[in-house]
Amino acid sequence: MKGKLCYNWLRNTFYVRNIRLMRKNKIANFTAILAAVVLLSGCGSIGLAREETFESNYENGEETGEDIYVSATDVIVRNIDTEAQIMDFYVTGSSDQKSLYYDGATIITDRYGQPMVASQLQPGDMVKVAYNSGIGKAGVVQLNPEVFTLSDISRYTVEDGGRALVIGDDVYNIDEHARVFSNGEEIDLQRLVIHDVLTVQGKDRTVMSIRVDEGHGYLELKHEKALIGGWIEVGQAVISQVADDMLFTVPEGDYRVRLTNTGIEEYRDISIRRNEITELDLSDIRSAEPEKGRVSFEITPEDAKVEVDDNEIRTAYAVKLPIGMHRITVSAQGYATVTQYFEVDGLNQTVKIDLESITASTVSANRLTSPSASPEPEKNDPYLYASITVEVPEGADLYEDNLYKGIIPVTYQKTPGTHILTIRKNGYETTSYTIIIDNDGQDVTYRLPDMEPEDGNGDSASGKNSTVSGNRLGATPSPSPTPRPDMFPKADQDLLWEEDLDVLSEEGLRQALSQLEKYVDTDRETAILRENIIRIKKQLREKHGVVFEDD
C-alpha cells in the first residue's frame, strides 16, 4: 500500500506538473518525461514503479520487478496495433526493426508534451521511445521534437536516382533507409507520382520519412469510340486528348468530368479513390455522322506536287476532306506522274504514294529492269532512335503518361523528361512509378518490381473497380482547366484543329501556348509545333481579342 501511495504521489505531482509546464512554455521536454519514469524507479525500495503497470507486482506474496525504462532510441512508426497493443518501429537511419507492447501506463505525447493516445500515431511519424528491452515494453513515446516536418507538399521531384528530394527551390538529401508510407502500407520511393500530396520528416537536410496524405487513383474510359480525337477534362487535374485504351492517373477526390468532341459536350460526376480504378461508361454517347475526315499524306519524293480534286495541297500537314471519293495526282521532275482515287470515310487515314523514278530504269532488249531498292538510311541519330524497354513484370499492360504502350516486355521510342509508368494486370494491384528520362541518346531498360496480388475477395488497392454510367448531367460551366506539363505530349507531331482548341477557355489557351513555347529552340521544335503555336495565337486573337507583340 505504501508503494502504491508513493507511485500515485509521484505520478500526479511530477508528471502532471511537467505536462502543465510544457503546455505553458510550449517546449519539447522528452528528458523531463523520461526523468519522471526514472524517478518512479527510485521508489523501488518501497515497492514502486515495476515494469508491467508502474505499480508493484507480487508473486507468491513477494514483491518482484526490474529496473525501469533505461533504453531510449529514435524510431519511425511502422504500425500501431491498438487491439493487440503492439507498436512496430523502424530504427531511424538503419534497417533494424523493433516491436514493443504498451498499455494504459505508457506515456504518449506530441512533440510539445501534450498527451496523445496510441491511435493518433501514424505510420511514418518519427518518435522518441523509452523502453525496457528485457520485457519489450514502451514506457514513453513522444513525437520527435528534433525533426523538421513539411506538410501539404505537392510540388516536388525525386532526383539523382532517388537520393534527392527537390521541393520548390530547396534540395534535401534522402536517407538510404528512408521510409515511404501510403494508406498505412510501406511503398517504394518510385511509386510517388506528381499527383501525390506528402508529409516529409527528417533531420537537418536529410529526409527520413515520407507519408502520402493524398494519393492517386485511376480513370478508365469504356465504350469511348465517340470521343476518340476529342478531349477529356477531369476537374482541373487532367486535360488530355482521348485516344484508344487510355488509363488516366488522377488525384483522389470527387470531380466533374467534361467530355467534348465534334458535336458532343457531355458532363459526368465521378469519385477517384486511392489506388482504385474508376470505369466511366460512355456507351450512351453517340457521335454525329461526320461530314469530313482527316487525311494525311506520305509522298515520295517529298517535294512532289500534290493535287486533290485539281486543288494543290501542302502535304506537311493533314487536311480535312468531305466524305466520299476523291482524286489525287502526284507529279515531280524525273518521276512518273501518278493519278489515283481514294475514299474518305470520316476516320483518320493516310494516303501513301511513292513515285517511280524515270531515270532509275534502263531498257535493254525490250526488258524493263529496275535497280534493287536502296537500303533504308542508317539510324545514325541516337537522339531520334533511342528507346525505352520495360522487361518485367511480363504479361502486364504498360501505360506511359496515360497512353497505352503494349504488353510487357515492350520497347518504344524514348522521350526525355519526367513520365509516369502505370502497370496493370488482372488479379494484381495496378501500380504507378515515376521515371526521369535523360536526353542522352542512350537506350534505357527497366525491370519494374513484381506486382502485388489482389486479396481473395478481389479487393486489392486497384481491384475495387467502380463504374460510372448513364447519369448525364446538364451542360453547366466547369472551371477553366489548368493544362498540366504533359497536356500536349505530341504537339510537335500532331496538328491541333480548331475544334480541338474550341473546348479551351482563354486561360487554357494561354497556358497551352506558354507550354508549347517552352519547346521552341529545343530538340522538340518542329514545323508542326510552330504551326500549332500559330493556330493557338489565331484562336486567341479571333475568339478572345488578344493582341500579341508581333501583331
Side-chain angles (χ1 to χ4, degrees), residues 253-271:
D254 298 326
Y255 296 94
R256 168 155 290 191
V257 177
R258 184 185 184 214
L259 302 152
T260 55
N261 204 350
T262 303
I264 296 173
E265 183 175 18
E266 295 284 339
Y267 292 83
R268 299 288 189 273
D269 282 338
I270 64 170
S271 294

mmCIF file with all atom_site columns, all heavy atoms in Angstrom, residues 253-271:
data_model
loop_
_atom_site.group_PDB
_atom_site.id
_atom_site.type_symbol
_atom_site.label_atom_id
_atom_site.label_alt_id
_atom_site.label_comp_id
_atom_site.label_asym_id
_atom_site.label_entity_id
_atom_site.label_seq_id
_atom_site.pdbx_PDB_ins_code
_atom_site.Cartn_x
_atom_site.Cartn_y
_atom_site.Cartn_z
_atom_site.occupancy
_atom_site.B_iso_or_equiv
_atom_site.pdbx_formal_charge
_atom_site.auth_seq_id
_atom_site.auth_comp_id
_atom_site.auth_asym_id
_atom_site.auth_atom_id
_atom_site.pdbx_PDB_model_num
ATOM 1   N N   . GLY A 1 253 ? -10.227 12.051 -55.161 1.00 0.00 ? 253 GLY A N   1
ATOM 2   C CA  . GLY A 1 253 ? -11.186 13.116 -54.890 1.00 0.00 ? 253 GLY A CA  1
ATOM 3   C C   . GLY A 1 253 ? -12.409 12.977 -55.773 1.00 0.00 ? 253 GLY A C   1
ATOM 4   O O   . GLY A 1 253 ? -12.562 12.033 -56.550 1.00 0.00 ? 253 GLY A O   1
ATOM 5   N N   . ASP A 1 254 ? -13.328 13.938 -55.658 1.00 0.00 ? 254 ASP A N   1
ATOM 6   C CA  . ASP A 1 254 ? -14.563 13.966 -56.447 1.00 0.00 ? 254 ASP A CA  1
ATOM 7   C C   . ASP A 1 254 ? -14.422 15.002 -57.558 1.00 0.00 ? 254 ASP A C   1
ATOM 8   O O   . ASP A 1 254 ? -13.933 16.119 -57.316 1.00 0.00 ? 254 ASP A O   1
ATOM 9   C CB  . ASP A 1 254 ? -15.757 14.310 -55.560 1.00 0.00 ? 254 ASP A CB  1
ATOM 10  C CG  . ASP A 1 254 ? -15.979 13.265 -54.472 1.00 0.00 ? 254 ASP A CG  1
ATOM 11  O OD1 . ASP A 1 254 ? -15.715 12.070 -54.739 1.00 0.00 ? 254 ASP A OD1 1
ATOM 12  O OD2 . ASP A 1 254 ? -16.402 13.639 -53.358 1.00 0.00 ? 254 ASP A OD2 1
ATOM 13  N N   . TYR A 1 255 ? -14.869 14.652 -58.757 1.00 0.00 ? 255 TYR A N   1
ATOM 14  C CA  . TYR A 1 255 ? -14.661 15.513 -59.919 1.00 0.00 ? 255 TYR A CA  1
ATOM 15  C C   . TYR A 1 255 ? -15.903 15.574 -60.793 1.00 0.00 ? 255 TYR A C   1
ATOM 16  O O   . TYR A 1 255 ? -16.712 14.642 -60.823 1.00 0.00 ? 255 TYR A O   1
ATOM 17  C CB  . TYR A 1 255 ? -13.505 14.991 -60.784 1.00 0.00 ? 255 TYR A CB  1
ATOM 18  C CG  . TYR A 1 255 ? -12.166 14.996 -60.112 1.00 0.00 ? 255 TYR A CG  1
ATOM 19  C CD1 . TYR A 1 255 ? -11.695 13.859 -59.459 1.00 0.00 ? 255 TYR A CD1 1
ATOM 20  C CD2 . TYR A 1 255 ? -11.366 16.134 -60.116 1.00 0.00 ? 255 TYR A CD2 1
ATOM 21  C CE1 . TYR A 1 255 ? -10.459 13.854 -58.836 1.00 0.00 ? 255 TYR A CE1 1
ATOM 22  C CE2 . TYR A 1 255 ? -10.127 16.133 -59.505 1.00 0.00 ? 255 TYR A CE2 1
ATOM 23  C CZ  . TYR A 1 255 ? -9.677  14.996 -58.868 1.00 0.00 ? 255 TYR A CZ  1
ATOM 24  O OH  . TYR A 1 255 ? -8.454  14.996 -58.246 1.00 0.00 ? 255 TYR A OH  1
ATOM 25  N N   . ARG A 1 256 ? -16.000 16.673 -61.530 1.00 0.00 ? 256 ARG A N   1
ATOM 26  C CA  . ARG A 1 256 ? -16.907 16.751 -62.666 1.00 0.00 ? 256 ARG A CA  1
ATOM 27  C C   . ARG A 1 256 ? -16.048 16.610 -63.920 1.00 0.00 ? 256 ARG A C   1
ATOM 28  O O   . ARG A 1 256 ? -15.081 17.335 -64.119 1.00 0.00 ? 256 ARG A O   1
ATOM 29  C CB  . ARG A 1 256 ? -17.668 18.072 -62.678 1.00 0.00 ? 256 ARG A CB  1
ATOM 30  C CG  . ARG A 1 256 ? -18.409 18.330 -63.990 1.00 0.00 ? 256 ARG A CG  1
ATOM 31  C CD  . ARG A 1 256 ? -19.588 19.261 -63.814 1.00 0.00 ? 256 ARG A CD  1
ATOM 32  N NE  . ARG A 1 256 ? -20.656 18.586 -63.062 1.00 0.00 ? 256 ARG A NE  1
ATOM 33  C CZ  . ARG A 1 256 ? -21.878 19.078 -62.946 1.00 0.00 ? 256 ARG A CZ  1
ATOM 34  N NH1 . ARG A 1 256 ? -22.185 20.228 -63.508 1.00 0.00 ? 256 ARG A NH1 1
ATOM 35  N NH2 . ARG A 1 256 ? -22.796 18.436 -62.265 1.00 0.00 ? 256 ARG A NH2 1
ATOM 36  N N   . VAL A 1 257 ? -16.425 15.638 -64.764 1.00 0.00 ? 257 VAL A N   1
ATOM 37  C CA  . VAL A 1 257 ? -15.679 15.353 -65.984 1.00 0.00 ? 257 VAL A CA  1
ATOM 38  C C   . VAL A 1 257 ? -16.402 15.994 -67.165 1.00 0.00 ? 257 VAL A C   1
ATOM 39  O O   . VAL A 1 257 ? -17.613 15.827 -67.324 1.00 0.00 ? 257 VAL A O   1
ATOM 40  C CB  . VAL A 1 257 ? -15.558 13.831 -66.211 1.00 0.00 ? 257 VAL A CB  1
ATOM 41  C CG1 . VAL A 1 257 ? -14.837 13.537 -67.525 1.00 0.00 ? 257 VAL A CG1 1
ATOM 42  C CG2 . VAL A 1 257 ? -14.816 13.186 -65.045 1.00 0.00 ? 257 VAL A CG2 1
ATOM 43  N N   . ARG A 1 258 ? -15.635 16.716 -67.971 1.00 0.00 ? 258 ARG A N   1
ATOM 44  C CA  . ARG A 1 258 ? -16.181 17.310 -69.187 1.00 0.00 ? 258 ARG A CA  1
ATOM 45  C C   . ARG A 1 258 ? -15.614 16.552 -70.387 1.00 0.00 ? 258 ARG A C   1
ATOM 46  O O   . ARG A 1 258 ? -14.398 16.364 -70.499 1.00 0.00 ? 258 ARG A O   1
ATOM 47  C CB  . ARG A 1 258 ? -15.807 18.793 -69.277 1.00 0.00 ? 258 ARG A CB  1
ATOM 48  C CG  . ARG A 1 258 ? -16.426 19.508 -70.477 1.00 0.00 ? 258 ARG A CG  1
ATOM 49  C CD  . ARG A 1 258 ? -15.921 20.933 -70.571 1.00 0.00 ? 258 ARG A CD  1
ATOM 50  N NE  . ARG A 1 258 ? -16.571 21.673 -71.644 1.00 0.00 ? 258 ARG A NE  1
ATOM 51  C CZ  . ARG A 1 258 ? -15.975 22.602 -72.380 1.00 0.00 ? 258 ARG A CZ  1
ATOM 52  N NH1 . ARG A 1 258 ? -14.710 22.922 -72.139 1.00 0.00 ? 258 ARG A NH1 1
ATOM 53  N NH2 . ARG A 1 258 ? -16.632 23.232 -73.328 1.00 0.00 ? 258 ARG A NH2 1
ATOM 54  N N   . LEU A 1 259 ? -16.502 16.124 -71.293 1.00 0.00 ? 259 LEU A N   1
ATOM 55  C CA  . LEU A 1 259 ? -16.121 15.348 -72.470 1.00 0.00 ? 259 LEU A CA  1
ATOM 56  C C   . LEU A 1 259 ? -16.596 16.092 -73.705 1.00 0.00 ? 259 LEU A C   1
ATOM 57  O O   . LEU A 1 259 ? -17.787 16.414 -73.827 1.00 0.00 ? 259 LEU A O   1
ATOM 58  C CB  . LEU A 1 259 ? -16.757 13.953 -72.422 1.00 0.00 ? 259 LEU A CB  1
ATOM 59  C CG  . LEU A 1 259 ? -16.407 13.127 -71.178 1.00 0.00 ? 259 LEU A CG  1
ATOM 60  C CD1 . LEU A 1 259 ? -17.518 12.150 -70.871 1.00 0.00 ? 259 LEU A CD1 1
ATOM 61  C CD2 . LEU A 1 259 ? -15.090 12.407 -71.370 1.00 0.00 ? 259 LEU A CD2 1
ATOM 62  N N   . THR A 1 260 ? -15.674 16.377 -74.624 1.00 0.00 ? 260 THR A N   1
ATOM 63  C CA  . THR A 1 260 ? -16.041 17.137 -75.817 1.00 0.00 ? 260 THR A CA  1
ATOM 64  C C   . THR A 1 260 ? -15.451 16.497 -77.062 1.00 0.00 ? 260 THR A C   1
ATOM 65  O O   . THR A 1 260 ? -14.366 15.922 -77.032 1.00 0.00 ? 260 THR A O   1
ATOM 66  C CB  . THR A 1 260 ? -15.544 18.594 -75.734 1.00 0.00 ? 260 THR A CB  1
ATOM 67  O OG1 . THR A 1 260 ? -14.132 18.594 -75.488 1.00 0.00 ? 260 THR A OG1 1
ATOM 68  C CG2 . THR A 1 260 ? -16.239 19.348 -74.614 1.00 0.00 ? 260 THR A CG2 1
ATOM 69  N N   . ASN A 1 261 ? -16.196 16.590 -78.131 1.00 0.00 ? 261 ASN A N   1
ATOM 70  C CA  . ASN A 1 261 ? -15.742 16.211 -79.463 1.00 0.00 ? 261 ASN A CA  1
ATOM 71  C C   . ASN A 1 261 ? -16.654 16.939 -80.439 1.00 0.00 ? 261 ASN A C   1
ATOM 72  O O   . ASN A 1 261 ? -17.558 17.665 -80.013 1.00 0.00 ? 261 ASN A O   1
ATOM 73  C CB  . ASN A 1 261 ? -15.806 14.686 -79.660 1.00 0.00 ? 261 ASN A CB  1
ATOM 74  C CG  . ASN A 1 261 ? -14.821 14.216 -80.737 1.00 0.00 ? 261 ASN A CG  1
ATOM 75  O OD1 . ASN A 1 261 ? -14.228 15.018 -81.452 1.00 0.00 ? 261 ASN A OD1 1
ATOM 76  N ND2 . ASN A 1 261 ? -14.655 12.908 -80.849 1.00 0.00 ? 261 ASN A ND2 1
ATOM 77  N N   . THR A 1 262 ? -16.451 16.768 -81.697 1.00 0.00 ? 262 THR A N   1
ATOM 78  C CA  . THR A 1 262 ? -17.276 17.457 -82.682 1.00 0.00 ? 262 THR A CA  1
ATOM 79  C C   . THR A 1 262 ? -18.752 17.117 -82.451 1.00 0.00 ? 262 THR A C   1
ATOM 80  O O   . THR A 1 262 ? -19.152 15.953 -82.528 1.00 0.00 ? 262 THR A O   1
ATOM 81  C CB  . THR A 1 262 ? -16.858 17.059 -84.106 1.00 0.00 ? 262 THR A CB  1
ATOM 82  O OG1 . THR A 1 262 ? -15.476 17.335 -84.300 1.00 0.00 ? 262 THR A OG1 1
ATOM 83  C CG2 . THR A 1 262 ? -17.686 17.814 -85.139 1.00 0.00 ? 262 THR A CG2 1
ATOM 84  N N   . GLY A 1 263 ? -19.547 18.127 -82.125 1.00 0.00 ? 263 GLY A N   1
ATOM 85  C CA  . GLY A 1 263 ? -20.971 17.934 -81.886 1.00 0.00 ? 263 GLY A CA  1
ATOM 86  C C   . GLY A 1 263 ? -21.299 17.294 -80.549 1.00 0.00 ? 263 GLY A C   1
ATOM 87  O O   . GLY A 1 263 ? -22.449 16.936 -80.308 1.00 0.00 ? 263 GLY A O   1
ATOM 88  N N   . ILE A 1 264 ? -20.301 17.146 -79.655 1.00 0.00 ? 264 ILE A N   1
ATOM 89  C CA  . ILE A 1 264 ? -20.522 16.480 -78.369 1.00 0.00 ? 264 ILE A CA  1
ATOM 90  C C   . ILE A 1 264 ? -20.006 17.367 -77.244 1.00 0.00 ? 264 ILE A C   1
ATOM 91  O O   . ILE A 1 264 ? -18.899 17.903 -77.315 1.00 0.00 ? 264 ILE A O   1
ATOM 92  C CB  . ILE A 1 264 ? -19.791 15.118 -78.312 1.00 0.00 ? 264 ILE A CB  1
ATOM 93  C CG1 . ILE A 1 264 ? -20.365 14.164 -79.356 1.00 0.00 ? 264 ILE A CG1 1
ATOM 94  C CG2 . ILE A 1 264 ? -19.885 14.511 -76.917 1.00 0.00 ? 264 ILE A CG2 1
ATOM 95  C CD1 . ILE A 1 264 ? -19.587 12.869 -79.465 1.00 0.00 ? 264 ILE A CD1 1
ATOM 96  N N   . GLU A 1 265 ? -20.817 17.530 -76.222 1.00 0.00 ? 265 GLU A N   1
ATOM 97  C CA  . GLU A 1 265 ? -20.387 18.151 -74.972 1.00 0.00 ? 265 GLU A CA  1
ATOM 98  C C   . GLU A 1 265 ? -21.175 17.476 -73.849 1.00 0.00 ? 265 GLU A C   1
ATOM 99  O O   . GLU A 1 265 ? -22.378 17.674 -73.721 1.00 0.00 ? 265 GLU A O   1
ATOM 100 C CB  . GLU A 1 265 ? -20.617 19.652 -74.956 1.00 0.00 ? 265 GLU A CB  1
ATOM 101 C CG  . GLU A 1 265 ? -20.095 20.301 -73.674 1.00 0.00 ? 265 GLU A CG  1
ATOM 102 C CD  . GLU A 1 265 ? -20.216 21.819 -73.687 1.00 0.00 ? 265 GLU A CD  1
ATOM 103 O OE1 . GLU A 1 265 ? -20.998 22.347 -74.514 1.00 0.00 ? 265 GLU A OE1 1
ATOM 104 O OE2 . GLU A 1 265 ? -19.542 22.467 -72.872 1.00 0.00 ? 265 GLU A OE2 1
ATOM 105 N N   . GLU A 1 266 ? -20.486 16.645 -73.071 1.00 0.00 ? 266 GLU A N   1
ATOM 106 C CA  . GLU A 1 266 ? -21.131 15.862 -72.030 1.00 0.00 ? 266 GLU A CA  1
ATOM 107 C C   . GLU A 1 266 ? -20.415 16.076 -70.701 1.00 0.00 ? 266 GLU A C   1
ATOM 108 O O   . GLU A 1 266 ? -19.213 16.393 -70.664 1.00 0.00 ? 266 GLU A O   1
ATOM 109 C CB  . GLU A 1 266 ? -21.089 14.363 -72.379 1.00 0.00 ? 266 GLU A CB  1
ATOM 110 C CG  . GLU A 1 266 ? -21.877 13.995 -73.620 1.00 0.00 ? 266 GLU A CG  1
ATOM 111 C CD  . GLU A 1 266 ? -23.367 13.969 -73.371 1.00 0.00 ? 266 GLU A CD  1
ATOM 112 O OE1 . GLU A 1 266 ? -23.755 13.845 -72.192 1.00 0.00 ? 266 GLU A OE1 1
ATOM 113 O OE2 . GLU A 1 266 ? -24.151 14.063 -74.335 1.00 0.00 ? 266 GLU A OE2 1
ATOM 114 N N   . TYR A 1 267 ? -21.158 15.873 -69.590 1.00 0.00 ? 267 TYR A N   1
ATOM 115 C CA  . TYR A 1 267 ? -20.605 16.007 -68.244 1.00 0.00 ? 267 TYR A CA  1
ATOM 116 C C   . TYR A 1 267 ? -20.946 14.762 -67.434 1.00 0.00 ? 267 TYR A C   1
ATOM 117 O O   . TYR A 1 267 ? -22.022 14.189 -67.574 1.00 0.00 ? 267 TYR A O   1
ATOM 118 C CB  . TYR A 1 267 ? -21.161 17.249 -67.540 1.00 0.00 ? 267 TYR A CB  1
ATOM 119 C CG  . TYR A 1 267 ? -20.696 18.546 -68.150 1.00 0.00 ? 267 TYR A CG  1
ATOM 120 C CD1 . TYR A 1 267 ? -21.340 19.079 -69.271 1.00 0.00 ? 267 TYR A CD1 1
ATOM 121 C CD2 . TYR A 1 267 ? -19.618 19.246 -67.624 1.00 0.00 ? 267 TYR A CD2 1
ATOM 122 C CE1 . TYR A 1 267 ? -20.921 20.269 -69.843 1.00 0.00 ? 267 TYR A CE1 1
ATOM 123 C CE2 . TYR A 1 267 ? -19.194 20.433 -68.183 1.00 0.00 ? 267 TYR A CE2 1
ATOM 124 C CZ  . TYR A 1 267 ? -19.843 20.936 -69.296 1.00 0.00 ? 267 TYR A CZ  1
ATOM 125 O OH  . TYR A 1 267 ? -19.414 22.108 -69.851 1.00 0.00 ? 267 TYR A OH  1
ATOM 126 N N   . ARG A 1 268 ? -20.018 14.350 -66.584 1.00 0.00 ? 268 ARG A N   1
ATOM 127 C CA  . ARG A 1 268 ? -20.230 13.239 -65.667 1.00 0.00 ? 268 ARG A CA  1
ATOM 128 C C   . ARG A 1 268 ? -19.621 13.595 -64.311 1.00 0.00 ? 268 ARG A C   1
ATOM 129 O O   . ARG A 1 268 ? -18.637 14.332 -64.232 1.00 0.00 ? 268 ARG A O   1
ATOM 130 C CB  . ARG A 1 268 ? -19.565 11.950 -66.179 1.00 0.00 ? 268 ARG A CB  1
ATOM 131 C CG  . ARG A 1 268 ? -20.085 11.441 -67.522 1.00 0.00 ? 268 ARG A CG  1
ATOM 132 C CD  . ARG A 1 268 ? -21.484 10.862 -67.388 1.00 0.00 ? 268 ARG A CD  1
ATOM 133 N NE  . ARG A 1 268 ? -21.894 10.196 -68.613 1.00 0.00 ? 268 ARG A NE  1
ATOM 134 C CZ  . ARG A 1 268 ? -22.467 10.786 -69.627 1.00 0.00 ? 268 ARG A CZ  1
ATOM 135 N NH1 . ARG A 1 268 ? -22.668 12.098 -69.590 1.00 0.00 ? 268 ARG A NH1 1
ATOM 136 N NH2 . ARG A 1 268 ? -22.833 10.097 -70.694 1.00 0.00 ? 268 ARG A NH2 1
ATOM 137 N N   . ASP A 1 269 ? -20.189 13.057 -63.241 1.00 0.00 ? 269 ASP A N   1
ATOM 138 C CA  . ASP A 1 269 ? -19.602 13.182 -61.906 1.00 0.00 ? 269 ASP A CA  1
ATOM 139 C C   . ASP A 1 269 ? -18.942 11.850 -61.548 1.00 0.00 ? 269 ASP A C   1
ATOM 140 O O   . ASP A 1 269 ? -19.562 10.783 -61.714 1.00 0.00 ? 269 ASP A O   1
ATOM 141 C CB  . ASP A 1 269 ? -20.669 13.520 -60.859 1.00 0.00 ? 269 ASP A CB  1
ATOM 142 C CG  . ASP A 1 269 ? -21.062 14.987 -60.906 1.00 0.00 ? 269 ASP A CG  1
ATOM 143 O OD1 . ASP A 1 269 ? -20.280 15.801 -61.412 1.00 0.00 ? 269 ASP A OD1 1
ATOM 144 O OD2 . ASP A 1 269 ? -22.169 15.292 -60.446 1.00 0.00 ? 269 ASP A OD2 1
ATOM 145 N N   . ILE A 1 270 ? -17.718 11.899 -61.049 1.00 0.00 ? 270 ILE A N   1
ATOM 146 C CA  . ILE A 1 270 ? -17.008 10.680 -60.675 1.00 0.00 ? 270 ILE A CA  1
ATOM 147 C C   . ILE A 1 270 ? -16.313 10.873 -59.336 1.00 0.00 ? 270 ILE A C   1
ATOM 148 O O   . ILE A 1 270 ? -16.090 11.999 -58.887 1.00 0.00 ? 270 ILE A O   1
ATOM 149 C CB  . ILE A 1 270 ? -15.953 10.265 -61.725 1.00 0.00 ? 270 ILE A CB  1
ATOM 150 C CG1 . ILE A 1 270 ? -14.854 11.337 -61.829 1.00 0.00 ? 270 ILE A CG1 1
ATOM 151 C CG2 . ILE A 1 270 ? -16.591 10.003 -63.070 1.00 0.00 ? 270 ILE A CG2 1
ATOM 152 C CD1 . ILE A 1 270 ? -13.662 10.903 -62.652 1.00 0.00 ? 270 ILE A CD1 1
ATOM 153 N N   . SER A 1 271 ? -15.957 9.760  -58.712 1.00 0.00 ? 271 SER A N   1
ATOM 154 C CA  . SER A 1 271 ? -15.152 9.764  -57.496 1.00 0.00 ? 271 SER A CA  1
ATOM 155 C C   . SER A 1 271 ? -13.927 8.897  -57.744 1.00 0.00 ? 271 SER A C   1
ATOM 156 O O   . SER A 1 271 ? -14.058 7.750  -58.194 1.00 0.00 ? 271 SER A O   1
ATOM 157 C CB  . SER A 1 271 ? -15.935 9.222  -56.300 1.00 0.00 ? 271 SER A CB  1
ATOM 158 O OG  . SER A 1 271 ? -17.009 10.087 -55.965 1.00 0.00 ? 271 SER A OG  1
#
